[in-house]
DNA sequence: ATAGGAACGAGAATCAGTCTCATATTGTGG
DNA sequence: CCACAATATGAGACTGATTCTCGTTCCTAT
């Protein structure tokens, strides 16, 4: 499905930010590198803890700033899977993305993508005459194993 | 759009909770009655304020307790619109429901429903061979006013 | 009416996320 | 290489929603 090459994404992210006139900085570099190699979404707190554990302690404010910046530039997105805290994951520059089905029995998170669903969402936007810039879809139910 | 008859929903909610062996109580009654007549999702804080304004001040803990109970029993659902607070709305026993588009400029929440989207979601479930019991869809963009 | 189990509510405690502001870095022009 | 102005960073205070605690009050089945 998605999740291309981590190196490609971090390069892309740096390029986009440079083009936007941002200077470089250590905190940003650390967050980008960490995010680039994640298979799944991380929360800001997890990022803070993981960086500290690696001896790369980074200020909380900087972490949130970097995350906001990435989201603003479409380089990452906020994934809200529960009620708790926001999680963040990289966005593939090709626009390719996926959605999730969460099994309410065992908690397993399954990713999927579906062109028919994407088309239906586009049509909703047109019908409502609103500019839909992004969309979140989360299906809840039972996975094959728990069925 | 949706939002059948408020009276029907509150009756249904009371019946479900009674059947589950719950005793009645004032806070619960107030939250149910308030929720029953809402056209769209309210946050716990809005519920607290609205009740206080009506001279029916209700403890915050009770409000959250009632809300959790309703969600547990499938009588209401949590709508996570942003990072801040969760919003809650009644779930129609007939399965009728709607989704939301949030304007990222002014914060306005717009409700909509769309059979094509529902069909697309059903197909995804079938294609994946999973039982999809509920689904969350949130479109983000700009509303007519802010376009 | 009464007892035991729910339900309530006031307020303290949590905790993710935000703000402030002093300091450290970075990139540019000279 | 140097000075400067424009960012970027981080410690820690602060916010605001949600959760916890625990003594009090309400329900309801005998
Ligand atoms: Mn999609
Ligand atoms: Mn739907
Ligand atoms: Zn499962
Ligand atoms: Zn708007």
């Amino acid at each position: 499905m998605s999740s291309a090459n981590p190196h490609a994404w971090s390069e892309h992210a740096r390029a986009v930010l440079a083009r936007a006139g941002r200077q470089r900085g250590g905190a940003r570099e650390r967050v980008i590198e960490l995010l680039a190699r994640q298979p799944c979404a991380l929360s800001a707190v997890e990022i803070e803890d993981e960086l500290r554990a690696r001896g790369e302690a980074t200020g909380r404010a900087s972490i949130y700033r970097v995350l906001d910046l990435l989201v603003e530039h479409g380089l990452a997105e906020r994934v809200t899977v529960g009620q708790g805290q926001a999680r963040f994951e990289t966005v593939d520059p090709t626009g390719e993305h996926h959605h999730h089905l969460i099994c309410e029995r065992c908690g397993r998170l399954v990713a999927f993508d579906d062109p028919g669903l994407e088309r239906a969402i586009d049509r909703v936007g047109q019908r409502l005459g609103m500019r839909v810039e992004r969309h979140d879809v989360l299906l809840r139910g039972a996975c094959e194993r728990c069925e």
Side-chain angles (χ1 to χ4, degrees), chain A:
Chain A
M1 193 175 301
S2 41
S3 180
N5 153 6
H7 188 259
W9 180 79
S10 50
E11 278 307 299
H12 172 65
R14 279 187 209 95
V16 168
L17 296 177
R19 204 175 312 137
R22 293 328 196 98
Q23 289 184 180
R24 293 159 140 278
R28 191 132 83 211
E29 200 52 34
R30 276 171 255 143
V31 172
I32 287 178
E33 280 307 309
L34 177 59
L35 225 43
R37 67 187 58 168
Q38 297 308 312
C40 198
L42 282 187
S43 70
V45 173
E46 288 169 343
I47 292 172
E48 185 176 12
D49 293 346
E50 174 63 20
L51 289 178
R52 184 182 312 110
R54 293 186 185 187
E56 301 184 327
T58 299
R60 186 179 319 138
S62 299
I63 292 174
Y64 281 104
R65 266 190 302 246
V66 172
L67 257 12
D68 286 347
L69 193 67
L70 293 173
V71 170
E72 268 170 37
H73 289 270
L75 294 165
E77 76 183 342
R78 248 186 204 87
V79 176
T80 328
V81 158
Q83 353 71 329
Q85 76 279 42
R87 307 182 81 80
F88 298 81
E89 68 182 7
T90 59
V91 168
D92 190 290
T94 67
E96 196 167 316
H97 66 274
H98 59 259
H99 297 288
H100 302 271
L101 185 150
I102 187 169
C103 173
E104 297 193 314
R105 313 286 190 286
C106 71
R108 195 155 73 100
L109 198 63
V110 178
F112 70 85
D113 64 19
D114 188 277
L117 177 59
E118 300 301 320
R119 245 174 280 126
I121 290 172
D122 286 346
R123 281 190 222 107
V124 172
Q126 296 183 344
R127 178 163 76 73
L128 300 181
M130 296 173 145
R131 182 183 316 166
V132 174
E133 292 160 346
R134 52 181 78 251
H135 54 264
D136 301 341
V137 175
L138 179 64
L139 308 186
R140 301 170 181 283
C143 72
E144 330 141 60
R145 299 182 196 164
C146 296
E147 188 80 63

